[in-house]
Amino acid sequence: MAVTLLSRRGPARTADVVVVGAGVVGAAVARSLSVGGARVVVVDRGEAAGGTSGSGEGNLLVSDKGPGAELAMAQRAVQLWPVLAAELREELRAGLPGGFPDLELEPKGGLVVATTEDGASALRAFAAAQRPAGVRATELDAAGARALEPALTPDVALAVHYPDDAQVQPVVATEALLASARHRGAVVLTGAQVTGPLLSGARAGARLAGVHTTRGDVAADAVVVAAGPWSGEVSALLGAPLPVLPRRGVVLVTTRQPHQVFRKVYDADYVGAVGSGDADLQTSTVVESTASGTILIGSSRERVGFDTALRVEVLRRLAAGALALFPGLAGVPVMRSYGGFRPYVPDHLPVAGPDPRLPGLWHATGHEGAGIGLAPATGELVADLLLGRAPVLDAAAFSVARPSLAAHLAGLPGAAA
């Protein structure tokens, strides 16, 4: 591949692939391609990690995924994250005075809690279905759960411990991935909004040959759209729209507290909320501590476009759910709340790979709330395919051409044939 980056003043740099989006997924794609020898340009209309990646909790989860392609991607990511963290630490140690900030990769494990018998039955069945796929999931009674989390409510019908769940600091991870890519020659252009496609060839057989941006044209053999919840807009602008929609979530953040929550703890309703396609507000309780001592409380899901208006009812429901799991949080001050938008796809699977409707267009998006955890496996998959290597994961499962997306693609206005 050979690509040329064009500024308004003429040719400036050369690259092989343009990645649209400087969040954690785009950063992972850029880093994987750079490690593979590709010359990469990353463009983002804002700043690195300025969108969804900067609004996430940093979850790396297998506990919320049933058997199938997404679980396989999560399991691959669980293998990659410790290796990646060690590589980044070594690479970037000499690059900055005092070294690069720690990724805060913490293999803390997860605890899923059911407080009713119906919830316990559903949780037991879900964990049983995961185990043949290689997920470690241990059932605990109330006493066993409280041995792991002493502050947990005594009203536990069943809990399942997932030792492979982990957490990372998402902004630091994104910046570290980009820094690693830069060390290998990648260029990151922030404040560069994509305004249209660069096409080559006759209209009927056109190929995407780059993008127009507000900082000039970027010509390329391959364009990877990794713009999170804005991927639907960007892909439509380029001529092959994807059904990626924003799904809003809100998180409460407490003041620093003595360490009292040791794992990611969530109620058994969380899995159902993740897998639901309902546009209305859904909340399920998620409570976890951070390395700084704050406690994060989630989670909510609703499709309201890119509306950022604060809704007190959402905050009230999150707080009530947290108290149900951890009664000792009563009276703990909440110092702030923040919201973000997850990239939702109707069949609840990421899209990663080439778009058969428009040669030259690739996607790495649609991870909803799992993008931070799945980023390294997504970067690996896209790099494998782009660089002609045999992929570790089943690429067909994440393809634009998969059957579960067909009806949604056909229904999009202006969809390419």
Side-chain angles (χ1 to χ4, degrees):
M1 293 182 289
V3 201
T4 303
L5 170 63
L6 301 175
S7 72
R8 282 178 164 68
R9 293 169 295 202
R13 301 176 180 91
T14 59
D16 295 323
V17 182
V18 177
V19 178
V20 182
V24 69
V25 172
V29 171
R31 199 260 181 182
S32 293
L33 287 167
S34 297
V35 169
R39 293 166 296 176
V40 179
V41 175
V42 180
V43 299
D44 195 295
R45 67 180 181 182
E47 297 298 323
T52 298
S53 298
S55 301
E57 298 161 274
N59 292 324
L60 319 178
L61 305 182
V62 296
S63 57
D64 63 343
K65 297 169 182 64
E70 189 179 23
L71 176 58
M73 179 177 272
Q75 290 170 308
R76 178 58 179 164
V78 165
Q79 296 172 343
L80 291 174
W81 265 114
V83 176
L84 182 59
E87 290 177 351
L88 292 172
R89 188 182 306 113
E90 185 63 30
E91 287 176 27
L92 302 177
R93 179 179 297 159
L96 293 170
F100 204 87
D102 187 75
L103 268 61
E104 299 178 14
L105 177 61
E106 186 180 1
K108 61 169 61 176
L111 188 69
V112 186
V113 179
T115 57
T116 67
E117 290 304 322
D118 286 346
S121 296
L123 176 58
R124 181 176 287 111
F126 186 78
Q130 292 175 300
R131 291 190 190 97
V135 175
R136 295 193 293 166
T138 303
E139 290 188 16
L140 302 171
D141 60 14
R146 284 171 60 84
L148 294 181
E149 293 288 345
L152 188 66
T153 175
D155 299 327
V156 175
L158 177 74
V160 176
H161 179 223
Y162 290 88
D164 293 321
D165 281 358
Q167 188 175 26
V168 73
Q169 214 296 330
V171 175
V172 176
T174 302
E175 293 283 11
L177 289 163
L178 290 173
S180 175
R182 284 191 185 99
H183 280 198
R184 291 173 168 81
V187 176
V188 180
L189 296 177
T190 56
Q193 182 168 353
V194 173
T195 59
L198 280 172
L199 298 173
S200 66
R203 184 174 181 83
R207 175 183 179 86
L208 185 61
V211 293
H212 298 293
T213 84
T214 52
R215 291 190 60 185
D217 293 344
V218 184
D221 283 351
V223 177
V224 181
V225 176
W230 296 273
S231 295
E233 295 179 6
V234 175
S235 60
L237 193 64
L238 297 179
L242 276 184
V244 181
L245 298 171
R247 201 176 189 192
R248 189 183 181 205
V250 176
V251 174
L252 299 178
V253 185
T254 75
T255 56
R256 292 184 178 183
Q257 301 295 314
H259 206 176
Q260 57 184 304
V261 182
F262 300 93
R263 290 156 191 82
K264 177 185 176 69
V265 182
Y266 60 88
D267 69 42
D269 291 337
Y270 178 81
V271 172
V274 170
S276 170
D278 198 331
D280 294 334
L281 173 66
Q282 300 173 68
T283 59
S284 53
T285 305
V286 182
V287 183
E288 60 193 313
S289 296
T290 68
S292 67
T294 62
I295 298 173
L296 305 181
I297 298 170
S299 71
S300 66
R301 281 172 162 77
E302 56 183 335
R303 297 216 312 272
V304 292
F306 287 103
D307 182 6
T308 60
L310 177 68
R311 294 177 55 196
V312 175
E313 174 59 23
V314 177
L315 307 184
R316 185 180 294 116
R317 286 170 63 169
L318 295 180
L323 290 175
L325 280 184
F326 289 94
L329 292 178
V332 169
V334 172
M335 65 178 180
R336 68 186 180 98
S337 67
Y338 64 88
F341 299 97
R342 307 174 181 92
Y344 165 87
V345 174
D347 66 353
H348 302 286
L349 266 182
V351 183
D355 193 319
R357 300 169 298 170
L358 181 59
L361 176 62
W362 292 65
H363 302 284
T365 189
H367 300 77
E368 199 167 328
I372 294 162
L374 299 180
T378 302
E380 178 188 63
L381 175 58
V382 172
D384 284 345
L385 295 173
L386 260 170
L387 300 177
R389 304 183 303 223
V392 175
L393 295 171
D394 176 14
F398 305 100
S399 168
V400 178
R402 62 187 185 239
S404 56
L405 265 189
H408 303 287
L409 292 174
L412 289 174

